[in-house]
Amino acid sequence: MKYTLQLDLTKQMFMAIDVNDRNHVGTGSTVEQAVAALTK
């Protein structure tokens, strides 16, 4: 799976976003948590 990463500065949360489906998003307080949430 290919994804992009973003950091929401207001919430201090990382977002991993699937490049093929922008609605498929995983969030977490670390990059690892965001990617793990995305791959669930």
Side-chain angles (χ1 to χ4, degrees), residues 19-37:
V19 295
N20 295 317
D21 181 5
R22 305 256 330 144
N23 294 318
H24 187 205
V25 177
T27 59
S29 56
T30 66
V31 171
E32 292 83 4
Q33 288 175 346
V35 172

Side-chain angles (χ1 to χ4, degrees), residues 8-28:
D8 184 336
L9 294 174
T10 6
K11 298 178 183 176
Q12 294 296 310
M13 296 290 285
F14 286 97
M15 298 183 297
I17 305 164
D18 186 341
V19 295
N20 295 317
D21 181 5
R22 305 256 330 144
N23 294 318
H24 187 205
V25 177
T27 59

